[in-house]
Amino acid sequence: MAADRAYLDHNASAPLLEAARAAMLAALESDGNPSSVHAEGRAARRLVETARRQVAALVGGKADDVVFTSGATEAAATLLTPGWRMGRGPLSVSRLFVTAAEHPCILCGGRFPADSVTVLPVDRNGLVDLTALEAALSAHDPDAGMAMLAIHAANNETGVIQPMAQIGRIARAARALVVVDAVQAAGRIPLDISDGSADFLILSSHKIGGPKGAGAIVGASDLLMPLALVPGGGQEKGHRSGTENVAAIAGFGAAAGEALAGLADMAAVQVVRDRIEAEVRATAPDATIFGEGAPRLPNTTFFDLPGVKAETAQIAFDLAGVALSAGSACSSGRVGPSQVLKAMGHGDQASALRVSIGRSTGDREVSMFTQALRALVSRQARAATRAA
Amino acid sequence: MAADRAYLDHNASAPLLEAARAAMLAALESDGNPSSVHAEGRAARRLVETARRQVAALVGGKADDVVFTSGATEAAATLLTPGWRMGRGPLSVSRLFVTAAEHPCILCGGRFPADSVTVLPVDRNGLVDLTALEAALSAHDPDAGMAMLAIHAANNETGVIQPMAQIGRIARAARALVVVDAVQAAGRIPLDISDGSADFLILSSHKIGGPKGAGAIVGASDLLMPLALVPGGGQEKGHRSGTENVAAIAGFGAAAGEALAGLADMAAVQVVRDRIEAEVRATAPDATIFGEGAPRLPNTTFFDLPGVKAETAQIAFDLAGVALSAGSACSSGRVGPSQVLKAMGHGDQASALRVSIGRSTGDREVSMFTQALRALVSRQARAATRAA
């Protein structure tokens, strides 16, 4: 990261951890294809399998139940499908339930036809309406096929954490498959797939300090598996073909190891986040901090600055050396109101700024943010005075 | 590459080129998400767009018509689908024609139902039977939907090069879409998508000296595009969602640049390959070199050693420091007869060794191969004498 920049956009892409970079560099020395049986191939294979254990450990899973993908979006497209197998037999999922505050890769429904997707409401804090969830799952006709619930553990924009244990109990009672988008939660709050609240977790390497280009599906078991999205040479036990991205997977594994160890530092990260929020409140007393009535990730804050367009603010911060986001960065070049805020009933304030930080964020970054925020708000106040 | 090893398995995965490594290292300094509008995001975006121009240039295409994927297998799964759009309207492809010598990611038919895939024969050199191709395409009923032909430009095991210009003419006459798996041909023979013989080319980074984890679809235009395999945030103009694998894409771009320049060196590569083949003939006069009656890639030779099991030979070579392949490395841990040889009518000799080299292969590697081959064949001769 450049010394004159404050990178506060970890939820879009976290800076590459040194351990991940080192693992990648070592892997780039490895010429082999992990499917080759010669020494070079076996060396590449070992790197992939080490990473598999590291990624499994981050979420309390078994290495055997990890399928590496090119990222979380591909993982979602793989899992969100009507076509499954239980052992050797086919199994059909007839309806997908998602919340209105999901990432686009979940909200789009993957391989489900649009009319097989039910979108559930969230409240003004972004929490799923548990009563609506229970009613929707109970109304599902199991004779048509299984139900699947796909839901984020924590929101990419607000950081709001869903009550996964309660959601898991409701889904289990309704015999629904549960796919949890744990992309933003991983490495920020503890996750344990063995606790029974989810059948599958989706993880992304570059949100936890690994490189872009790797993600994973972690299953609670391998009893049920979706029909492959990417068929071919039969890699990943046939669940995902294509030569493994050895360097990115090795980096992902190293980052997962760091993320697991780093959970202990998250209270300190929250202190920094809370300082940033205190500064927002002090500088812009009428700012709304979205989702603050709910449990949130320790690294994320999402707020509006009344009277300032988010895009304008983002550019001003950028010019002042501060990288933050107006909504999420998931859609190439798209500028528009946040779908998450709309889902939360804040459509009128549908323009907000996200600050997302990590363990590397310290005084320097907070100070740069503070200066940029104060300058922006005082410019805005002067402009309002002149206009009056 | 270790100094005591001779890596002769470039068709499984080519060693990372120094230019590709350098481009990746530079890209790993870039924290941003290419979809973010701040300076870090824009820097990442520039890396992706530079690579797009480099990859397009390798095959005479336009940067706008390049879609990056996680690899060739995903590219094949994206293109091999009944569901397409022409502009804004839907378009249906009702039948896929492939040859029996395709890579598994093509032979599996992608998203086509199994009964919509027609497998065409190849001759004993592995060349598609043009009469059978023409007859099959003519017999297709266009009222049911378009026909698609998916065929490799050069075979991954034998290096045999298909007559793409003739195939293109036959396909155009039948109004079939042509998808060319150019994974092994790229960087080894000139490719030009503007010559009208193909509608789409599939490329893989790690077969041309880039990193594993990146591939591309290059279209002759963007008039016709398949429905996205991986939907979500809308990256790659909606054709392939998910945060771009910036480092791998940057490495792919650099490798494409080198591969284009390196085409001039392919005559020298062929001289080395021909030395290896001369040694095979001298040491094992009854060896068959598969596909030698057809045009072949300058870097590939695929041969059997009568009386020696390919797996045994591969292990002996590996112990002697020589990495080569028994068939392709596309299927994790699979050991079995080569599907390509079966398709070529050599099912009785369905066990063979592939040597695939590159511009970095020189005297040292040839010498190590030669010594290992001679030792293997003389051990085999002694064993045969004892048994007699």
Side-chain angles (χ1 to χ4, degrees):
Chain A
M1 202 181 317
D4 58 343
R5 298 283 300 175
Y7 185 77
L8 306 179
D9 203 7
H10 288 232
N11 288 14
S13 198
L16 189 66
L17 292 168
E18 198 43 51
R21 185 191 314 266
M24 291 187 78
L25 293 187
L28 290 177
E29 298 299 315
S30 174
D31 292 327
N33 183 319
S35 295
S36 295
V37 301
H38 47 56
E40 287 80 356
R42 296 194 306 273
R45 169 61 51 205
R46 279 194 295 275
L47 295 173
V48 171
E49 299 312 319
T50 298
R52 199 184 302 281
R53 291 190 292 273
Q54 291 168 315
V55 168
L58 176 60
V59 296
K62 295 200 296 285
D64 272 355
D65 299 331
V66 173
V67 176
F68 285 118
T69 65
S70 67
T73 293
E74 185 198 317
T78 302
L79 289 167
L80 272 51
T81 181
W84 286 65
R85 296 192 78 82
M86 178 158 59
R88 294 190 174 187
L91 181 91
S92 169
V93 177
S94 60
R95 183 151 293 277
L96 171 68
F97 297 87
V98 300
T99 83
E102 299 303 314
H103 185 278
C105 75
I106 300 286
L107 201 55
C108 72
R111 288 184 271 176
F112 282 97
D115 61 1
S116 299
V117 181
T118 299
V119 180
L120 301 166
V122 298
D123 68 16
R124 284 189 65 87
N125 279 311
L127 294 171
V128 66
D129 180 330
L130 294 176
T131 311
L133 171 67
E134 190 159 15
L137 292 179
S138 319
H140 175 72
D141 174 12
D143 290 342
M146 280 189 83
M148 176 189 292
L149 171 67
I151 186 167
H152 57 289
N155 188 267
N156 57 330
E157 298 192 5
T158 61
V160 164
I161 299 168
Q162 299 293 339
M164 293 314 307
Q166 284 173 275
I167 292 167
R169 276 194 294 275
I170 292 168
R172 272 199 309 282
R175 297 173 174 273
L177 266 179
V178 181
V179 170
V180 171
D181 167 5
V183 165
Q184 298 290 354
R188 292 168 185 156
I189 56 173
L191 293 169
D192 183 1
I193 193 160
S194 72
D195 71 8
S197 60
D199 296 291
F200 294 92
L201 297 184
I202 293 172
L203 301 176
S204 168
S205 164
H206 77 109
K207 309 290 192 185
I208 64 166
K212 302 170 186 75
I217 295 167
V218 185
S221 78
D222 61 357
L223 185 65
L224 286 177
M225 288 302 288
L227 299 184
L229 178 74
V230 184
Q235 289 89 348
E236 296 293 295
K237 298 183 196 164
H239 299 307
R240 200 281 181 181
S241 292
T243 301
E244 297 87 342
N245 187 346
V246 179
I249 288 172
F252 183 16
E258 294 270 303
L260 183 59
L263 284 171
D265 302 330
M266 282 298 132
V269 170
Q270 183 164 341
V271 168
V272 176
R273 192 276 311 269
D274 290 349
R275 280 171 59 198
I276 289 169
E277 288 194 344
E279 184 60 37
V280 170
R281 283 184 225 278
T283 308
D286 49 354
T288 302
I289 293 176
F290 299 107
E292 67 177 330
R296 287 183 299 152
L297 294 178
N299 80 315
T300 307
T301 182
F302 194 43
F303 56 90
D304 75 337
L305 295 175
V308 187
K309 271 192 178 168
E311 289 75 16
T312 309
Q314 187 186 19
I315 292 167
F317 274 107
D318 189 32
L319 290 172
V322 179
L324 46 68
S325 155
S328 72
C330 57
S331 179
S332 193
R334 187 185 62 183
V335 174
S338 157
Q339 294 302 314
V340 172
L341 287 185
K342 271 195 189 171
M344 292 164 66
H346 298 286
D348 48 331
Q349 295 156 299
S351 179
L353 295 173
R354 179 182 69 189
V355 169
S356 52
I357 64 175
R359 287 181 287 149
S360 58
T361 311
D363 290 344
R364 191 180 68 85
E365 285 82 5
V366 174
S367 167
M368 285 179 70
F369 170 80
T370 301
Q371 286 177 36
L373 176 69
R374 289 179 187 171
L376 173 69
V377 169
S378 62
R379 270 201 306 278
Q380 168 67 16
R382 284 197 301 275
T385 306
R386 277 200 300 275
Chain B
M1 200 181 317
D4 58 344
R5 299 284 298 175
Y7 184 78
L8 306 179
D9 203 7
H10 288 231
N11 289 13
S13 198
L16 189 66
L17 293 167
E18 197 43 50
R21 185 191 313 269
M24 291 187 78
L25 294 187
L28 291 177
E29 297 299 316
S30 174
D31 292 328
N33 183 319
S35 295
S36 296
V37 301
H38 46 57
E40 287 81 353
R42 298 194 305 273
R45 168 61 50 204
R46 279 193 296 274
L47 295 173
V48 171
E49 299 312 318
T50 297
R52 199 183 302 281
R53 290 190 293 274
Q54 291 168 316
V55 168
L58 176 60
V59 296
K62 295 199 297 286
D64 272 356
D65 298 332
V66 173
V67 175
F68 284 119
T69 65
S70 67
T73 293
E74 184 199 316
T78 302
L79 288 168
L80 272 51
T81 180
W84 286 66
R85 296 191 78 81
M86 179 158 59
R88 294 188 174 187
L91 181 90
S92 169
V93 177
S94 60
R95 182 151 294 276
L96 172 68
F97 298 87
V98 301
T99 84
E102 299 303 314
H103 186 279
C105 74
I106 301 285
L107 201 55
C108 73
R111 289 184 270 175
F112 282 95
D115 62 1
S116 300
V117 181
T118 299
V119 180
L120 300 166
V122 298
D123 68 17
R124 283 187 67 87
N125 278 310
L127 294 171
V128 65
D129 181 330
L130 294 176
T131 310
L133 170 67
E134 190 160 15
L137 292 179
S138 319
H140 175 71
D141 174 12
D143 291 343
M146 279 189 82
M148 177 189 291
L149 170 66
I151 186 166
H152 57 288
N155 188 268
N156 58 330
E157 298 192 5
T158 61
V160 164
I161 300 168
Q162 299 292 340
M164 293 314 307
Q166 285 173 274
I167 291 168
R169 276 193 293 275
I170 291 169
R172 271 200 310 283
R175 298 175 173 272
L177 266 179
V178 180
V179 170
V180 171
D181 167 5
V183 164
Q184 298 290 354
R188 292 168 185 155
I189 55 173
L191 293 168
D192 182 3
I193 193 160
S194 72
D195 70 8
S197 61
D199 296 291
F200 295 92
L201 297 183
I202 294 172
L203 300 175
S204 167
S205 163
H206 77 109
K207 309 290 193 186
I208 63 166
K212 302 170 185 75
I217 295 167
V218 185
S221 77
D222 61 356
L223 185 66
L224 286 176
M225 288 301 289
L227 299 184
L229 179 74
V230 183
Q235 288 88 348
E236 296 292 295
K237 299 183 195 164
H239 299 307
R240 200 281 181 181
S241 292
T243 300
E244 296 87 343
N245 187 346
V246 179
I249 288 171
F252 182 17
E258 295 270 305
L260 183 59
L263 284 171
D265 302 330
M266 283 298 131
V269 170
Q270 183 165 340
V271 168
V272 176
R273 192 274 313 270
D274 290 349
R275 281 172 59 198
I276 290 170
E277 288 194 345
E279 184 59 38
V280 170
R281 283 184 225 276
T283 309
D286 49 353
T288 302
I289 294 177
F290 299 107
E292 67 177 329
R296 286 183 300 150
L297 294 179
N299 79 315
T300 306
T301 182
F302 194 43
F303 56 91
D304 75 337
L305 294 175
V308 187
K309 271 193 180 171
E311 289 74 17
T312 309
Q314 187 186 19
I315 292 168
F317 275 107
D318 189 32
L319 290 172
V322 179
L324 46 68
S325 155
S328 74
C330 58
S331 179
S332 193
R334 188 184 61 181
V335 175
S338 159
Q339 294 301 313
V340 172
L341 287 185
K342 273 196 189 170
M344 291 164 67
H346 298 286
D348 48 332
Q349 295 157 300
S351 179
L353 295 173
R354 179 183 68 188
V355 169
S356 53
I357 64 175
R359 289 181 286 149
S360 58
T361 310
D363 290 344
R364 191 180 69 83
E365 285 82 6
V366 174
S367 167
M368 286 180 70
F369 170 81
T370 300
Q371 286 176 36
L373 176 69
R374 289 179 187 172
L376 174 67
V377 170
S378 62
R379 272 200 307 277
Q380 170 65 17
R382 285 196 302 274
T385 306
R386 279 198 301 275

